[in-house]
């Protein structure tokens, strides 16, 4: 085969060998951008229409919970949580311990769910308190500090079990966390000098409201060395232990009622009860919802009593007048 002579080019080969110019996607496909924008707009409109349909579609009504299951096996979320009488619930906790072979001296706990609202923009602030239980369930003794500058009062405090006794010299050590105690008591004469500790001690600052400020040092020490302390966690829940499971049922009930009655003092009687729900459990058992009837203190309304007395007086007056005539 004869090779082509130098410089000879086949027809059309020159155009195919030429370097093509750079062409932009928009110029190559003039309708691509417009088609893409139209597609995005159609997708957006479909999404908005679907959203409008979803808003217009009524939500399915939730069926009311049934009261009591008939069978032994059932879906718990279809039924209301059962509530138990206090004595019945304590008996169930004791029975759970026997069936599970758990420790008989485990602690009994309560979870108290509170209603802290008072009026539109007012509410009960989270609080802490201490109460003397009718039946102690632990040998734990609290560490109590007593503020006094009187030597006789200081000696009485030491004799009755105060861990630390002193005057204003203790302020520096408390601010620097060199001295710490479970409770801080004070006599009225020294309280003006303890103002620097107000922000440090906060709710543990001596006050008459907490019965930690007074002149009867032996009485205050006996209370705070053996008292049971609890506090509101978060904004509206109290979680505290109240007894041991091996204690008699009546002792467990008495301790629970003592704590509930103390909690109810933090909300005025003319408002709704502060305790909304109450759950009792042991260390290893499930929680049992309690029926509040018979647990909450019975508050008699003063206004109703006054009205009843007034009506009785009005009824008695005509009778007395007729007798006198």
């Amino acid at each position: 085969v004869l090779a082509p002579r130098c410089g000879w080019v086949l027809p059309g080969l020159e155009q195919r060998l030429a370097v093509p110019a750079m062409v932009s996607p928009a110029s190559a496909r003039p309708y691509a951008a417009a088609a893409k924008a139209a597609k995005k707009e159609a997708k957006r409109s479909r999404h908005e229409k679907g959203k409008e349909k979803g808003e217009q579609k009524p939500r399915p009504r939730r069926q009311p919970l049934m009261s009591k299951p008939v069978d032994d096996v059932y879906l718990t979320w279809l039924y209301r949580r059962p509530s138990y009488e206090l004595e019945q619930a304590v008996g169930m906790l004791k029975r759970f311990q026997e069936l599970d072979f758990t420790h008989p001296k485990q602690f009994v706990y309560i979870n108290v769910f509170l209603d802290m609202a008072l009026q539109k923009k007012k509410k009960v602030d989270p609080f802490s308190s201490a109460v003397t239980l009718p039946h102690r369930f632990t040998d734990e003794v609290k560490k109590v500090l007593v503020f006094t500058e009187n030597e006789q009062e200081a000696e009485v405090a030491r004799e009755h079990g105060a861990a630390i006794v002193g005057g204003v010299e203790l302020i520096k050590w408390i601010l620097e966390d060199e001295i710490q105690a479970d409770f801080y008591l004070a006599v009225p004469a020294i309280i003006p000098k303890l103002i620097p500790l107000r922000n440090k001690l906060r709710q543990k600052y001596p006050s008459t409201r907490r019965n930690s400020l007074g002149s009867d040092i032996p009485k205050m020490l006996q209370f705070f060395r053996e008292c049971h302390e609890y506090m509101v966690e978060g904004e509206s829940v109290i979680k505290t232990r109240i007894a041991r499971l091996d204690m008699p049922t009546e002792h467990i009930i008495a301790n629970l009622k003592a704590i509930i009655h103390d909690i109810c003092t933090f909300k005025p009687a003319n408002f709704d009860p502060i305790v909304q729900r109450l759950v009792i459990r042991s260390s290893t058992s499930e929680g049992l919802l309690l029926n509040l009837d018979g647990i909450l203190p019975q508050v008699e309304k003063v206004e109703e009593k006054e009205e009843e007395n007034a009506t009785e007086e009005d009824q008695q007056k005509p009778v007395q007048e007729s007798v006198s005539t």
Side-chain angles (χ1 to χ4, degrees), residues 2 28 125 163 171 232 260 300:
L2 296 176
D125 295 327
I171 296 177
V232 177
I260 295 300
E300 298 182 358

Side-chain angles (χ1 to χ4, degrees), residues 170-191:
L170 299 177
I171 296 177
K172 177 183 177 182
W173 302 106
I174 295 174
L175 291 174
E176 295 178 354
D177 293 328
E178 295 293 332
I179 293 178
Q180 294 180 350
D182 296 318
F183 297 102
Y184 300 83
L185 312 182
V187 294
I190 198 176
I191 198 67

Side-chain angles (χ1 to χ4, degrees), residues 97 102-108 137 243-247 283:
Q97 181 271 321
T102 53
H103 200 276
K105 292 187 177 182
Q106 58 186 290
F107 288 113
V108 178
F137 58 92
R244 290 189 183 273
L245 195 56
D246 63 334
M247 293 172 59
S283 301

Side-chain angles (χ1 to χ4, degrees), residues 32-62:
K36 189 175 182 180
K39 187 176 181 182
K40 188 181 293 185
E41 186 67 24
K43 187 177 180 181
R44 186 185 295 114
S45 62
R46 285 197 303 269
H47 178 71
E48 292 176 356
K49 287 180 180 179
K51 190 176 180 181
E52 291 177 358
K53 288 182 180 179
E55 292 176 354
Q56 294 175 359
K57 186 178 179 181
R59 295 181 179 179
R61 293 183 180 180
R62 185 177 180 181

Side-chain angles (χ1 to χ4, degrees), residues 114-295:
L114 307 177
D115 177 15
M116 310 285 277
L118 289 177
Q119 294 176 356
K120 290 183 178 180
K121 295 184 179 180
K122 293 184 180 180
K123 65 177 183 177
V124 180
D125 295 327
F127 56 87
S128 64
S129 182
V131 60
T132 301
L133 297 179
H135 307 282
R136 295 193 66 198
F137 58 92
T138 176
D139 296 331
E140 180 183 359
V141 177
K142 306 295 191 303
K143 184 179 180 181
V144 183
L145 183 148
V146 178
F147 289 106
T148 181
E149 293 180 327
N150 186 298
E151 282 298 328
Q152 294 180 352
E153 293 177 340
E155 188 62 28
V156 171
R158 294 188 188 94
E159 290 177 357
H160 286 81
I164 304 171
V165 183
V168 293
E169 70 276 3
L170 299 177
I171 296 177
K172 177 183 177 182
W173 302 106
I174 295 174
L175 291 174
E176 295 178 354
D177 293 328
E178 295 293 332
I179 293 178
Q180 294 180 350
D182 296 318
F183 297 102
Y184 300 83
L185 312 182
V187 294
I190 198 176
I191 198 67
K193 301 178 182 179
L194 303 180
I195 295 178
L197 293 176
R198 185 182 294 274
N199 293 332
K200 178 68 176 180
L201 299 182
R202 296 186 179 181
Q203 294 184 351
K204 292 188 177 182
Y205 187 78
S207 66
T208 53
R209 174 69 181 85
R210 291 177 53 86
N211 298 320
S212 56
L213 175 62
S215 302
D216 194 345
I217 296 177
K219 183 179 179 181
M220 291 192 299
L221 278 171
Q222 182 181 2
F223 174 78
F224 284 100
R225 290 179 76 241
E226 300 179 356
C227 70
H228 177 75
E229 189 179 19
Y230 65 88
M231 63 182 298
V232 177
E233 300 180 11
E235 293 185 355
S236 60
V237 181
I238 295 175
K239 299 178 182 180
T240 184
R241 57 188 185 181
I242 61 169
R244 290 189 183 273
L245 195 56
D246 63 334
M247 293 172 59
T249 300
E250 56 271 18
H251 291 185
I252 299 175
I253 293 175
N255 284 359
L256 183 145
K257 288 186 175 181
I259 296 175
I260 295 300
H261 285 211
D262 188 72
I263 293 172
C264 291
T265 60
F266 286 87
K267 193 171 184 180
N270 56 339
F271 290 92
D272 293 334
I274 189 172
V275 178
Q276 294 295 300
R277 286 192 300 134
L278 180 58
V279 176
I280 188 171
R281 64 175 180 86
S282 66
S283 301
T284 59
S285 74
E286 62 176 298
L288 302 177
L289 182 65
L290 295 178
N291 186 355
L292 296 178
D293 295 338
I295 298 178

